[in-house]
Amino acid sequence: MRVLQRLVLPVDRDLDVLKLYVDGRIVRGEEAVAQETAAAEDLAGDSSGDAVLATRRGVRIVGRRSLVVPLGRRVSFCTYFNAFPASYWRRWSTVGDVRLRLRMRGEAIVIVYRSTGKGFTQRVTQLHVDSDVAVERDVELPLEPFIDGGWYWFDIIAGDRNAVLERAEWCADSDRPQGSTSIGITTFNRPKFCVEQLLALGEATDVLEVVDEIFVVDQGTKRVVDHPDFPAAAEALGEKLRVIDQANIGGSGGFSRAMAETLDAGRSGYVLLLDDDVVVEPEGILRAVTFADLARTPTVVGGHMFDLFNRSVLHAHGENVARYRWWMVPAAHTFYWHDLAREGHSLRETPWLHRRIDADFNGWWMCLIPVDVLRKIGLSLPFFIKWDDIEYGVRAKEAGIPTVPLPGAAVWHVPWHSKDNDLDWQAYFQERNRIVSALLHSPYDRGGNMLKESLIMVTKHALAMQYSTAELMLLGIEDVLKGPAGLHGSITTKMAELRRLRAAYPDAEARPDIDDFPRVRRRKPPKKGREPVPPGNRKEMIRTALTGMARQLRPVGSFHRTHPEVTVPHVDQSWWLLSRFDSALVSAADGTKVSWYQRDPARLRSILQRNAALHARLVKDWSKLSRAYRTALPDITSPERWRETFDAATPPARNTVSGKVGDPGGEQGRAPGEAAAGEKRGGAGGEPPARGSRDTSAPEER
């Protein structure tokens, strides 16, 4: 029997994540401390009265896979990490039936349930356990009824004495061999985050049985090997860990390096890509590998994303590309930011979570890719950041390779709404890479509505006095028009160019405190005391845009360069509000800094003119550009072409890996201040919405 999924309980027993693992009253705090000994004795076979009295008030977690259910209590495993996602195994795997296998003692009734694709619950069967020694019970369960969706799970109701669950597994008959994976972690100046992730992997010894190597591609100046806890991580992982020093060529460069190293090693059937700023549930790695092993065809297996700061919130369940807009959206019938710990929002109470979804791609915060897929469609595009994972998923789908975001495999990641990725230097990559992806894959002539949206978005940034953002987007369009030849070459040089461009704009200069700027003053109070309100309909929006345009193009005096008119919190910053002022102090998404936006009619006029001209060129040359990029795609994404970029991007002294850990000395050949916060992908804020806001409305409605 092949184990498909094991019951698992939280590593650190974090209160914020308990509802993701088990649904029931869990004993915590002083009561838990008092019960620790009694629960341990009960797990060891002592059913004394003291143990019964000590644990009667709540379920006690004892270890990673075991718990004690006190007499008369009920616990349910209709939870994200412990329910079995039957519909995904039914649709994509060779498994026809699944077996629930339990090892228990004490007295209990175990009730097995299933759900339908509509979210309705059905009782399947029940088992009775009454034994002072551990016994195994199992039940065969068919997967036929799960085409549209549905899960299996079980509840335990303790009888007249405690019930002890020692382990539970979902299994299936299979003669396919156990596969293995390499792990690729791209990191930039997050040594603490990265080392903590390595330590967690080192503690998951059973999961490491399916891991061949862990490639840490370090592209930063704050190096992973210099962190004080790195030796402990290196000792725990031993020969499995390999740190590779590489000049900063972005997330796509780091992940492509991990792909290429996996291909060269020839040991693994898969490469698992992980962001450096995530906390992974290690069991998800084993589940992803097992699912890929038993998939009908080579399949990209993705992990879901939970909010690192609000850990019960499922941030992204599955995503698609809206083809006509060429923008990422939630998969049909799913929603972002779903709090599974909130009353009435649990898995059992959320019908849409029981519906099986189909996705176009999965974020590379956690994504397992078969090496056969790498050989068939190549590595990532040299995008530096943004759209690399999206384009890869779409490219794979066009080659007949599905992407399956697998429930029960997940990481906790910094949420997009805490980032300014669409306003800072990353706006260039967002614009350029979105257009290149559409040129490669859009089924619509001239990208459908994408160019119209792009034109409007640049205009809105300009009206909001976000001139550096607008200029970066226009530079992205200019580089698209140059064709595909420069993609690899620019991956090592573009950051310096973007820094120089942004340095000329006040809106790109950020300071840590509002008091670092002159005092906020308004030359005139608001007319009749009325503050601006958002346009309520399309007609008002057009009128607001025209009024704002006329105002922003008027000659400007010196007052606004002496004093900001208003302060605008990040949550309120929008083109329709900012276009009404001569200057404003605007805070960043993460709340750590402030920028002073200042009206500049000459810059606005220049941006508007070039915006119209560049988009007209895109419309005119779309077909020719599309052919050029599609023709160049196989070469650009080939391992051979990427190896040339790896060699060119890394100084000779750092070009080789010394043993299992790269050369610890030297700098990364990068100017100070590059890649603020070291973001590699994703985004937040701005318009069109970054991967944080996920606004799916049309640009005219925003």
Side-chain angles (χ1 to χ4, degrees), residues 261-337:
E261 294 291 342
T262 301
L263 286 172
D264 289 346
R267 298 173 58 190
S268 304
Y270 314 99
V271 59
L272 176 68
L273 307 181
L274 288 175
D275 260 343
D276 63 345
D277 58 346
V278 301
V279 174
V280 65
E281 165 51 73
E283 193 73 13
I285 298 173
L286 191 57
R287 294 177 181 182
V289 171
T290 302
F291 190 87
D293 282 347
L294 302 183
R296 298 179 186 178
T297 61
T299 299
V300 177
V301 183
H304 292 161
M305 174 184 160
F306 281 88
D307 186 339
L308 184 64
F309 302 140
N310 194 0
R311 299 188 68 191
S312 61
V313 172
L314 181 58
H315 208 64
H317 181 64
E319 296 179 279
N320 289 327
V321 175
R323 293 309 201 263
Y324 191 62
R325 296 183 57 205
W326 205 254
W327 193 254
M328 69 289 292
V329 294
H333 311 291
T334 72
F335 303 91
Y336 294 120
W337 311 306

Side-chain angles (χ1 to χ4, degrees), residues 98 105 124 129 139 154 246 309 347 421 434 458-459 509 518 551 586 605 655 690:
V98 65
R105 54 190 167 78
V124 177
V129 176
V139 56
F154 64 95
Q246 180 169 282
F309 302 140
L347 175 60
N421 293 359
R434 179 191 185 193
V458 174
T459 302
E509 179 186 350
R551 189 186 191 288
V586 183
R605 190 174 292 107
N655 196 35

Side-chain angles (χ1 to χ4, degrees), residues 646-663:
F646 301 146
D647 292 340
T650 308
R654 302 168 66 85
N655 196 35
T656 59
V657 174
S658 175
K660 289 293 178 180
V661 180
D663 174 16

Side-chain angles (χ1 to χ4, degrees), residues 627-642:
R627 287 192 299 271
Y629 279 96
R630 295 185 186 197
T631 300
L633 181 63
D635 174 67
I636 292 175
T637 59
S638 68
E640 295 75 20
R641 184 66 184 87
W642 264 110

Side-chain angles (χ1 to χ4, degrees), residues 16-230:
D16 287 341
V17 301
L18 275 175
K19 288 291 187 180
L20 305 181
Y21 293 84
V22 57
D23 187 5
R25 186 186 183 281
I26 310 299
V27 177
R28 315 305 301 159
E30 293 182 3
E31 185 179 6
V33 174
Q35 294 182 18
E36 185 75 40
T37 302
E41 290 174 353
D42 200 38
L43 186 63
D46 181 358
S47 298
S48 67
D50 289 343
V52 171
L53 289 172
T55 57
R56 69 171 55 167
R57 293 178 62 188
V59 175
R60 177 63 186 164
I61 296 173
V62 187
R64 181 73 161 135
R65 307 190 187 282
S66 305
L67 54 74
V68 178
V69 184
L71 71 165
R73 288 285 177 183
R74 180 172 188 149
V75 63
S76 176
F77 295 100
C78 182
T79 59
Y80 175 83
F81 280 116
N82 284 320
F84 182 74
S87 63
Y88 291 84
W89 286 91
R90 168 70 168 87
R91 172 65 182 90
W92 299 110
S93 81
T94 59
V95 174
D97 299 281
V98 65
R99 179 181 298 177
L100 172 61
R101 189 164 59 192
L102 305 166
R103 182 176 175 85
M104 298 182 63
R105 54 190 167 78
E107 184 179 357
I109 293 175
V110 179
I111 305 176
V112 181
Y113 295 93
R114 59 154 291 206
S115 63
T116 69
K118 298 177 181 179
F120 296 121
T121 297
Q122 298 178 1
R123 182 179 175 130
V124 177
T125 188
Q126 76 175 42
L127 308 171
H128 183 236
V129 176
D130 188 358
S131 174
D132 291 333
V133 298
V135 295
E136 289 200 357
R137 295 284 188 267
D138 60 8
V139 56
E140 292 283 348
L141 300 165
L143 294 183
E144 286 88 348
F146 292 95
I147 287 180
D148 292 333
W151 303 64
Y152 277 124
W153 69 88
F154 64 95
D155 290 5
I156 298 175
I157 304 101
D160 292 333
R161 62 185 190 280
N162 291 358
V164 181
L165 176 66
E166 295 190 358
R167 69 170 183 265
E169 301 163 335
W170 302 89
C171 313
D173 288 315
S174 176
D175 56 3
R176 292 197 179 186
Q178 173 71 62
S180 64
T181 186
S182 292
I183 296 177
I185 302 172
T186 300
T187 186
F188 181 88
N189 288 351
R190 287 197 180 103
K192 184 177 185 294
F193 242 127
C194 191
V195 169
E196 287 177 350
Q197 190 172 154
L198 295 176
L199 288 169
L201 290 172
E203 293 173 358
T205 54
D206 49 352
V207 175
L208 286 178
E209 293 177 6
V210 301
V211 176
D212 295 317
E213 283 189 281
I214 300 173
F215 302 110
V216 176
V217 184
D218 192 344
Q219 302 185 147
T221 54
K222 300 176 182 177
R223 304 186 58 253
V224 170
V225 297
D226 295 332
H227 191 275
D229 293 333
F230 177 78

